[in-house]
Amino acid sequence: MRLAQRLPIADEPQPDTSMAELLDALPAAVLLVGEDGRVRHCNPAADELLALPLHGVLWRELIEQLFVPRPDLSDALQLHTGRLVTLSTRPLGNLRGQVLMLQDVTDAHQMRQRLHHQHRLADMGKMAASLAHQIRTPLATAMLYVSQLKAAQPDLERRERMVGKALTSLRGLERLINDMLLFVNSGQGTLERLEAAQLLSELHQESAAALAQKGIELHCAEDLPTLPVMVNRTLLRSALQNLLNNAEQALEGRDGARISLLASESEGMLRLCVCDNGPGIRAERQEAIFSPFVSDRPAGTGLGLAVVRAIIRSFGGEVTLHSQPQQGSCFCLCLPSPDVA
C-alpha cells in the first residue's frame, strides 16, 4: 500500500516511465532525491521498509524521523521500526540529485551475532576436558583441607593455615569460572563511546603503590591521545588489568622491574599497550599463549590472554605482541575509532 500519493514536484524533472518501472521492481528500497533535497520518487520497497510518507519530503528531515542513534553499530543504521539497514548513495548525473538505496540487513546482522556466540560455545565445548582438569585440581585441594579440619582438632595456627590454603584454592576456582564467563560472553555487554586511553591513567593511579611495594615501577605515559572508541568499559578495563597482572607475574623477583602503560593513535586506530622489561617470550610460543588453557605458570588458568583477545576482537580490534627473550614483552590492544571512516 502506498503511504503517499505520487504527485510531481513543480519544476523538478521526473524519471521516465521505464526507469520508474525498473526502480519499482527492485527488491531494495530506493529513493530519488532531487537537487532541492526532496524525495521525488520512492519505490514500493521503500514505502514498506521505511513506513513513513516519503514523496516530496526533505531528506534531511526524514533522517531525523527514520534513524535511531546507535553508536555501537559500525556497519549498519537502525530505523525507527527497529530494522537494521545499510545506506548507499550515488549522484543522478543529468537528472541532478541523488539515488539512495537502503538494504535490510537485520536478519544477516542477527545471524552474525548468533554465529559469534555459537563459535564461543563451540570453543568452550572443545575445552571441556581441559576445563574439567582445571576445575578438579583446586576443588580437590580445597576439599582436602576442609576434610582435615573436620577430621581433626588442629590448634589455632594450623587451622588458620589450612583455612587459608582452602580459600586460596577456592579463589583460584572463582577466577577460572570468571575467566570462562568472560571468554564465552565477551562482546555481549553494552558499548559506549569513551576515551579509552584514560583507563591507563586510572590503572596507574590504582596500581602504582601496590606494585612499588613489590619492587616494580609502574610508569604511565603523559599526554594520552583523545581518539574515542566504542567499547564496553568494564570488559576493556578487565582486559587491561589482565595484561597488567601478567606483566607483574613475569617480573616477579627481577631487579629493576618496570611496567610501562603507553597509548598512541595512527590511521584511525587507538593502541593501548602494557610493556614490561621481563624475560620475554620465545617466538614459537607467542601465538600459542593466546590459546585457551595454555600457560607457562603452574598456577595459571591459561585463559587470561584468550579472554583478552576475545574481548578486543568483539570491539572490532586486535591484540598484538612484540617480545624478545630477555628484553621484555609489549602487548598492545588496537581499537578502531568510530570517528574515522
Side-chain angles (χ1 to χ4, degrees):
M1 178 182 292
R2 298 291 184 180
L3 297 176
Q5 185 179 6
R6 299 187 182 282
L7 298 175
I9 301 173
D11 301 325
E12 278 285 350
Q14 300 299 311
D16 59 38
T17 303
S18 60
M19 180 180 177
E21 290 175 349
L22 176 62
L23 294 179
D24 285 355
L26 290 175
V30 177
L31 293 83
L32 300 185
V33 178
E35 193 175 19
D36 63 352
R38 294 182 183 275
V39 177
R40 68 169 183 262
H41 184 85
C42 50
N43 68 352
D47 280 338
E48 182 179 353
L49 177 65
L50 303 180
L52 283 176
L54 302 171
H55 197 69
V57 183
L58 283 169
W59 172 245
R60 65 173 179 269
E61 294 178 358
L62 282 172
I63 290 175
E64 297 180 0
Q65 301 175 54
L66 288 173
F67 301 110
V68 177
R70 280 285 304 273
D72 57 306
L73 292 175
S74 60
D75 57 351
L77 301 169
Q78 180 174 316
L79 296 175
H80 67 104
T81 59
R83 307 296 293 178
L84 302 180
V85 299
T86 57
L87 174 63
S88 304
T89 66
R90 290 291 185 276
L92 274 174
N94 293 334
L95 290 178
R96 299 188 308 278
Q98 286 187 316
V99 58
L100 312 179
M101 184 171 71
L102 297 97
Q103 292 183 294
D104 191 332
V105 295
T106 308
D107 294 340
H109 188 272
Q110 292 175 346
M111 179 65 72
R112 283 198 301 271
Q113 287 187 316
R114 286 195 293 268
L115 283 174
H116 178 75
H117 191 59
Q118 288 299 322
H119 287 158
R120 286 274 164 268
L121 294 177
D123 288 340
M124 192 174 178
K126 294 175 184 177
M127 293 186 276
S130 296
L131 179 61
H133 174 73
Q134 293 280 343
I135 291 177
R136 183 173 56 191
T137 300
L139 185 60
T141 302
M143 291 176 64
L144 173 64
Y145 285 112
V146 171
S147 63
Q148 288 180 355
L149 284 171
K150 181 179 180 180
Q153 296 295 326
D155 56 50
L156 181 60
E157 181 180 350
R158 185 165 175 240
R159 180 183 304 157
E160 289 180 349
R161 187 167 60 251
M162 287 191 289
V163 168
K165 290 181 177 180
L167 284 174
T168 298
S169 295
L170 291 174
R171 286 177 184 135
L173 183 58
E174 181 183 38
R175 284 195 302 272
L176 174 63
I177 293 172
N178 288 338
D179 282 347
M180 282 299 304
L181 290 174
L182 277 172
F183 181 76
V184 174
N185 295 318
S186 60
Q188 301 302 308
T190 302
L191 303 185
E192 60 180 297
R193 179 189 176 95
L194 58 84
E195 294 179 6
Q198 292 302 317
L199 292 179
L200 295 180
S201 180
E202 296 175 12
L203 201 59
H204 176 262
Q205 293 174 14
E206 296 172 8
S207 306
L211 288 173
Q213 292 180 350
K214 299 178 181 180
I216 300 174
E217 178 187 357
L218 180 62
H219 171 75
C220 184
E222 299 179 355
D223 299 324
L224 296 172
T226 59
L227 188 70
V229 291
M230 290 300 305
V231 294
N232 178 284
R233 182 186 181 92
T234 301
L235 290 177
L236 180 57
R237 176 59 186 269
S238 174
L240 288 169
Q241 184 66 60
N242 211 319
L243 294 181
L244 183 61
N245 292 343
N246 284 355
E248 176 188 346
Q249 291 165 359
L251 292 169
E252 188 174 353
R254 295 177 71 91
D255 295 332
R258 178 184 174 91
I259 300 174
S260 298
L261 305 178
L262 310 173
S264 63
E265 60 178 273
S266 176
E267 299 180 350
M269 298 292 291
L270 177 69
R271 290 163 54 87
L272 307 177
C273 302
V274 179
C275 306
D276 65 69
N277 62 346
I281 302 167
R282 301 190 312 274
E284 62 270 21
R285 292 283 297 166
Q286 290 184 16
E287 181 59 30
I289 61 174
F290 287 98
S291 299
F293 297 119
V294 173
S295 177
D296 293 329
R297 299 191 306 272
T301 65
L303 273 175
L305 290 175
V307 167
V308 170
R309 174 176 276 181
I311 288 173
I312 301 307
R313 284 182 172 176
S314 75
F315 302 148
E318 191 52 87
V319 184
T320 63
L321 166 62
H322 302 281
S323 183
Q324 292 288 336
Q326 304 310 315
Q327 294 183 27
S329 302
C330 191
F331 289 88
C332 293
L333 312 181
C334 306
L335 297 163
S337 173
D339 286 359
V340 180

